[in-house]
Structure formats: C-alpha cells, structure tokens
Amino acid sequence: MNGLEVLLSRRWILKSRDKDLYYQLRDQLGSVKKFLTEKLGYQVVVNPYLIKVEKLPAQAKTWMGIQEFNDRIQYVFLCLILSFLEEKEAEEQFVLSELTEYIQAEYREEQIDWTSYSYRRHLIRVVKFCVSCGILEVDDGSEDSFMRDAEGEVLYENTGASRYFMRNFTRNIMDYTRSEDFAEDEWLDLDTDRGLARRQRVYRKLLMSPGMYRNGENDEDFAYIKNLRGRISEELEELLDCELQVHRSSAFLIVREGGGLGRCFPEEKTLSDIALLCLGQIREQVRSGRWEVPADECLRISEPEFRQLVEECKLRYGSGFIKTYREMTTGDFYREVLDYLESVELIEVIGRQVVIWPAAGKLAGEYPQDYVPVPEQGAMKKKEGEI
C-alpha cells in the first residue's frame, strides 16, 4: 500500500469505518508528511477520529465541485447541515425533523416548504452524500420515507467528522467579495517567499490536474519545472508509481498501471471509452492536416466543428456502445461527451470556441481491427473465417 496515494486520493480516512487503514497510515505518516507540507503546502490533520490531508488546487476549476450535487441549493443545504452539527456532540443522535426545522429557520433566501418534492429531493441528495462520506450514520429508518412524505422520519447519528469537513481559513471569509479571494488567501502568507509559493503551485498543478501548461514565454512556474525536471522527477517517482513527462510547453504526471491518485483518465466507465474514441478522431484530424497544432500545442476550433466530430464518432462507433448511448439523441450525446471532456480537463469551451488541451493528445482509442460492429445487436463480433 502506498500511503501517499491513499491520502491524496481520498477525502479522509475515518477510524470508525476503516480502523486497520487508519493505523497503517498513521504509522506511515512520518515518511510522507514532510513532502505534503513542504512541497504542496498541505496541512495534515491527525486525531482520534480521522486522518485528512487538506488538499487544495493551484487554481480552482468548475469541475471541482461535489460530483453528487447538481444544484446550488444543495451546497447551501450542506453548509446548513454542517452548521447544525456544530451544536451536536460526536455520537449524538437526532431525527430528520430536527434538521428540517433548523434549515427552514436559517435559510434566508426563500421560504422552504418541505411538502414540495423538489426541496425534499435536494435535501435527501445532500444527506445521502453526508452518510456516504462519513459525516452521518443512519441508525434507524430510511430517507425514502421522507422522499415520499414530508412527515417521514429517520434517526441519524453525528460521527463528529463534520467539524473537519471545511478547511481552515487564515482570514474572515465574510470580508471576501469575489470567488477569487479564496484562492488568493492561500498565497497571501507566502508573498515574502515567492520561491516557496512557486514550488507549491508547481507540485499542485502536477498532482491535481491532467496537465500543466506554459502560460506565455515568461511563465515562472513552467520555467521552474523545466529547470528542475530531473530533481522533481526523481522525487515524485520515488514516492509514487508515476512518470514525469516534460515537453516544449506542457508537462504531465503519468500514473503507471496499478497506481492511483484519485480520479484519473481513462476511467472504468463507458463515457471514458467514448471520450477515447473522440480523442482518436482528433488525432486523425491532426495527422491529416485538417487541423493544425499551433506553437502552444493548444488546438482551437469552433464549437460547430467539434460537435460535428463528436457526431461522427457516434455514427462511426455507436453500434458498439451500450444501449444508453446507442439510443441517446444526437444533442444529448454531444452534451454528455462535451461535459465529460471538460470535467477531466481535456477541453475547455470558451464562448463559441473549443480549446483542446495538449493532454488530449496523450491518449486515443479505437476498436480492435479484428472486430466489426453489429448494428442490430449493438455488440462486437469477430470477422467471419477468423478464430
């Protein structure tokens, strides 16, 4: 077990849920804590309840939200739940109606009516997230009863982990007026040591993003990795099962087979396979000369052009997809693929233009040559006469 990989890939390790792993990591912590604090600037929280690394990106991205949430009000409900639990002791029980009354009283922007299915659905999504990550435990009942009826009850137990969910800020966040203030807060204390701040940004970019790209000729962060690539590569490869690759205007940390640093691409899911096929089509466009890669290695094409490529991918390979994607409308299919590629930072939509990042050129997919699609079955079949 690689303790550093576990710490970087998980929100936290709760003693109540994984006691053996908790003790293993606590014993290994001495060998990795220096790297986490000095090279990444991360705080390591260790207490009788959990072990947690306060992981922060060098730059916030839209995809970094909670994947289980799909509406702004769910984030508000989460904050209210955390506030509610501040008054509860670890292992203290409470019923769902206590929580719903608290949210009704504290929510200021609109009147919450729990007889509305929409509000109940949003709350249950948040509560289930809290249960899944260990903030709450269900002692009796089921959320389904509340989903059906606002009078439905569930008995919960506060694990005590909620107090460590939010990161600690060095300043009063009520004084912040922009989302950028949260990111700038991280580096304010390091203004007197630009070298330390630069080092931490570089390591965060390598470990927390699919790729690191040069931003102009005078990019200090990229110059740092170009000048110290040997030392950085040696250190990372000693601690993690990975390989550092540095190019003219981009750098990548490639995780070897069997390694894991949280969410990696490609993933074990159909949408990831479809994305690989689209990347293969992009590579074909470049090889044929129809799309020319500029000096900064970032392809920029119009959104209609990119949509055509995705639609051609479905037309070409769609008979091999699972039923969900085979029968999906062209518009829905395009949106699914577009959103997914953005979420793994392989593309970015800016206005009516799609920027294809250099990381997209690292991987591509295609069907094996000895298989042909069977449209009527949506399966893959060997060519006749071949074993």
Side-chain angles (χ1 to χ4, degrees):
M1 179 194 71
N2 187 314
L4 181 58
E5 286 187 0
V6 174
L7 290 168
L8 289 174
S9 63
R10 295 175 60 164
R11 180 183 301 278
W12 50 30
I13 294 85
L14 298 175
K15 182 180 176 182
S16 61
R17 291 197 173 183
D18 205 332
K19 185 179 294 186
D20 291 341
L21 181 60
Y22 170 87
Y23 283 116
Q24 288 180 48
L25 289 174
R26 194 182 66 174
D27 293 339
Q28 289 187 23
L29 202 55
S31 62
V32 300
K33 187 174 181 180
K34 183 178 179 181
F35 172 79
L36 290 167
T37 55
E38 292 185 2
K39 298 302 172 67
L40 291 160
Y42 288 164
Q43 294 183 8
V44 182
V45 179
V46 184
N47 59 45
Y49 299 104
L50 55 81
I51 299 175
K52 179 190 179 186
V53 175
E54 295 277 13
K55 296 176 285 291
L56 301 168
Q59 181 181 3
K61 302 288 185 179
T62 54
W63 60 265
M64 290 179 180
I66 297 173
Q67 299 301 307
E68 290 86 348
F69 292 0
N70 55 22
D71 194 283
R72 187 183 67 87
I73 196 173
Q74 293 165 7
Y75 288 94
V76 179
F77 282 172
L78 174 62
C79 291
L80 289 171
I81 290 173
L82 295 175
S83 176
F84 172 79
L85 294 176
E86 281 289 316
E87 305 300 321
K88 302 290 182 183
E89 297 294 331
E91 300 183 359
E92 183 177 345
Q93 295 179 319
F94 64 92
V95 292
L96 182 58
S97 58
E98 289 183 60
L99 177 61
T100 56
E101 289 173 6
Y102 178 87
I103 292 175
Q104 264 186 326
E106 296 297 324
Y107 196 91
R108 307 297 187 190
E109 294 188 19
E110 57 188 279
Q111 181 64 42
I112 301 295
D113 180 6
W114 296 118
T115 62
S116 167
Y117 175 76
S118 176
Y119 286 123
R120 298 201 306 275
R121 178 172 55 84
H122 288 313
L123 179 61
I124 291 306
R125 182 180 287 266
V126 179
V127 169
K128 285 186 174 181
F129 167 77
C130 292
V131 172
S132 69
C133 70
I135 292 174
L136 299 174
E137 296 285 357
V138 178
D139 284 348
D140 189 36
S142 168
E143 289 90 356
D144 293 339
S145 62
F146 181 71
M147 190 72 85
R148 292 189 298 267
D149 185 351
E151 300 300 320
E153 282 287 22
V154 186
L155 179 64
Y156 293 104
E157 180 182 313
N158 176 32
T159 66
S162 63
R163 295 181 180 180
Y164 307 97
F165 184 86
M166 300 290 286
R167 57 169 287 208
N168 292 319
F169 293 93
T170 58
R171 291 167 178 78
N172 185 357
I173 64 174
M174 298 305 293
D175 296 332
Y176 293 168
T177 57
R178 310 170 301 146
S179 59
E180 291 81 7
D181 291 337
F182 289 90
E184 292 171 3
D185 174 87
E186 179 66 13
W187 309 112
L188 283 176
D189 294 333
L190 296 179
D191 276 349
T192 57
D193 193 340
R194 292 182 59 190
L196 178 59
R198 181 174 59 220
R199 182 178 69 200
Q200 292 180 0
R201 284 197 306 269
V202 167
Y203 276 84
R204 289 185 188 186
K205 288 176 181 178
L206 289 173
L207 287 167
M208 304 294 284
S209 301
M212 176 179 172
Y213 309 113
R214 185 174 64 185
N215 184 21
E217 292 296 326
N218 299 316
D219 188 334
E220 292 184 352
D221 290 359
F222 199 78
Y224 180 91
I225 197 171
K226 290 280 282 188
N227 295 332
L228 299 175
R229 60 186 297 178
R231 185 191 304 175
I232 296 171
S233 176
E234 182 180 348
E235 182 173 39
L236 290 175
E237 291 181 24
E238 182 180 342
L239 291 168
L240 302 165
D241 190 13
C242 63
E243 175 189 353
L244 177 64
Q245 297 181 2
V246 181
H247 304 287
R248 180 179 59 189
S249 60
S250 58
F252 306 93
L253 194 64
I254 308 298
V255 180
R256 297 190 180 98
E257 189 172 356
L261 284 173
R263 188 183 187 189
C264 295
F265 180 83
E267 301 173 283
E268 295 292 330
K269 57 195 301 185
T270 301
L271 196 51
S272 184
D273 295 338
I274 294 172
L276 285 170
L277 293 170
C278 289
L279 298 184
Q281 301 245 121
I282 292 172
R283 185 173 293 186
E284 286 182 13
Q285 295 284 70
V286 173
R287 284 176 176 168
S288 68
R290 288 190 290 271
W291 291 354
E292 185 175 347
V293 180
D296 64 359
E297 301 179 317
C298 294
L299 276 170
R300 295 171 179 82
I301 61 174
S302 68
E303 190 174 0
E305 280 184 284
F306 188 76
R307 180 174 185 133
Q308 182 180 353
L309 179 134
V310 174
E311 291 176 355
E312 287 176 356
C313 181
K314 186 175 190 293
L315 186 66
R316 182 174 177 181
Y317 299 114
S319 57
F321 299 165
I322 62 173
K323 184 178 180 180
T324 302
Y325 294 102
R326 261 197 339 267
E327 298 183 353
M328 193 175 285
T329 65
T330 302
D332 289 342
F333 179 81
Y334 171 68
R335 178 51 56 185
E336 284 268 339
V337 174
L338 186 76
D339 290 346
Y340 179 73
L341 288 171
E342 275 200 289
S343 76
V344 292
E345 282 193 66
L346 295 177
I347 68 168
E348 183 178 359
V349 180
I350 302 176
R352 292 286 292 169
Q353 191 177 60
V354 176
V355 178
I356 302 174
W357 295 108
K362 281 289 181 181
L363 294 168
E366 60 182 11
Y367 284 151
Q369 291 185 355
D370 59 343
Y371 277 73
V372 292
V374 183
E376 66 274 13
Q377 296 178 1
M380 307 307 296
K381 180 180 179 182
K382 278 187 176 293
K383 296 178 181 178
E384 290 186 9
E386 294 186 358
I387 298 176

